[in-house]
Amino acid sequence: TRRGVTPRRQIAQPAAGLETVPQLDRATAALNSIAETNQRVTALYEMSRTLSSILSVEDTVAILTNRLSKLIPFTTCAISLFDATRSEFEIVHAVGLNAERFSKRRMPAEAGITGWVITNQRPMFNTNPVLDLAFLGSETASEYKGVIVYPLVKNGEALGAIALYSTEIAAYGSEHIQLMESASQPASDAIHNALTFEHAQKAAFTDPLTGLASVRALTSQFERE
């Protein structure tokens, strides 16, 4: 360099591949965890509030599966109701993959995982879902890897069960199981209320002596027409 002239400094630019993203600190991770928990609590509260205002069984199970899909991942969800008079249960509503093959299927009370859960009023999870899915055929049933089945119980009476099946999750974690446990009680309350309402409505429109439609039922039908 020439005397009296300061050499120009070169500013090195970092290579793009050497830049690193700073790790998430513990405080941020904790805040994110709290936020996620609050979202789940809010979702459960909203589900309980919504279900408490529904009177028909059909609407109740449809809303229940919709809300569960926002809380817990699944490939297929099936809700079954227990028929004690016939000692069997019926899948009254199903959503997701193969839903049309699940819906309206009746099985003996002791059949599969769902039958065991209803009979014993205890949940079962992370067992072989094929035990519930033989009706799909071995090839289709083997695509499912994980399962959670929770009983629907009210006042010690078995109402049915909620079953979640997954083709991606081989073992549901404790977080998913706790969410199912939290959701099962408001779901049981809502389904019990809907069943009670439908039974009362049916009784009001049926003649107790003949079992035929009552005058009230005929009048109601005439007004609708």
Side-chain angles (χ1 to χ4, degrees):
T1 58
R2 292 177 309 198
R3 183 179 297 177
V5 178
T6 303
R8 186 166 55 189
R9 297 173 60 189
Q10 293 183 345
I11 301 175
Q13 297 294 331
L18 298 178
E19 293 181 288
T20 58
V21 178
Q23 293 184 347
L24 200 65
D25 60 73
R26 291 184 179 180
T28 303
L31 288 174
N32 289 342
S33 178
I34 292 171
E36 290 175 2
T37 301
N38 288 339
Q39 288 174 355
R40 295 189 184 101
V41 170
T42 300
L44 285 168
Y45 170 74
E46 289 296 332
M47 183 182 75
S48 300
R49 188 176 67 173
T50 303
L51 289 175
S52 65
S53 63
I54 305 300
L55 292 179
S56 87
V57 173
E58 182 179 357
D59 289 344
T60 298
V61 293
I63 290 172
L64 176 58
T65 53
N66 177 267
R67 296 306 170 90
L68 281 175
S69 68
K70 295 175 172 57
L71 286 170
I72 308 171
F74 61 78
T75 303
T76 309
C77 173
I79 298 181
S80 302
L81 293 184
F82 178 52
D83 185 348
T85 62
R86 298 185 178 183
S87 191
E88 62 184 14
F89 63 89
E90 179 185 4
I91 301 175
V92 296
H93 188 74
V95 295
L97 184 66
N98 301 309
E100 70 285 350
R101 300 179 66 181
F102 282 80
S103 188
K104 306 306 178 185
R105 180 172 291 275
R106 282 183 169 269
M107 300 186 204
E110 66 279 3
I113 305 168
T114 298
W116 187 93
V117 166
I118 292 174
T119 302
N120 293 276
Q121 299 185 19
R122 291 171 55 192
M124 184 178 285
F125 40 83
N126 295 339
T127 186
N128 190 343
V130 173
L131 295 172
D132 249 6
L133 307 176
F135 65 89
L136 292 176
S138 58
E139 184 176 350
T140 301
S142 64
E143 295 176 359
Y144 290 90
K145 309 301 181 186
V147 61
I148 303 180
V149 185
Y150 251 80
L152 296 167
V153 180
K154 181 68 174 180
N155 299 328
E157 178 187 358
L159 304 176
I162 307 171
L164 305 183
Y165 308 94
S166 177
T167 57
E168 298 179 358
I169 300 173
Y172 279 98
S174 59
E175 177 186 350
H176 299 133
I177 294 166
Q178 289 170 3
L179 284 169
M180 273 291 283
E181 183 175 2
S182 299
S184 64
Q185 191 54 59
S188 297
D189 293 341
I191 289 176
H192 176 266
N193 292 341
L195 288 170
T196 301
F197 174 78
E198 288 195 355
H199 289 161
Q201 191 176 49
K202 183 178 180 180
F205 287 97
T206 304
D207 183 88
L209 294 177
T210 64
L212 301 175
S214 65
V215 173
R216 181 178 178 183
L218 294 173
T219 302
S220 177
Q221 181 62 32
F222 176 77
E223 289 175 351
R224 283 198 297 269
E225 292 295 334

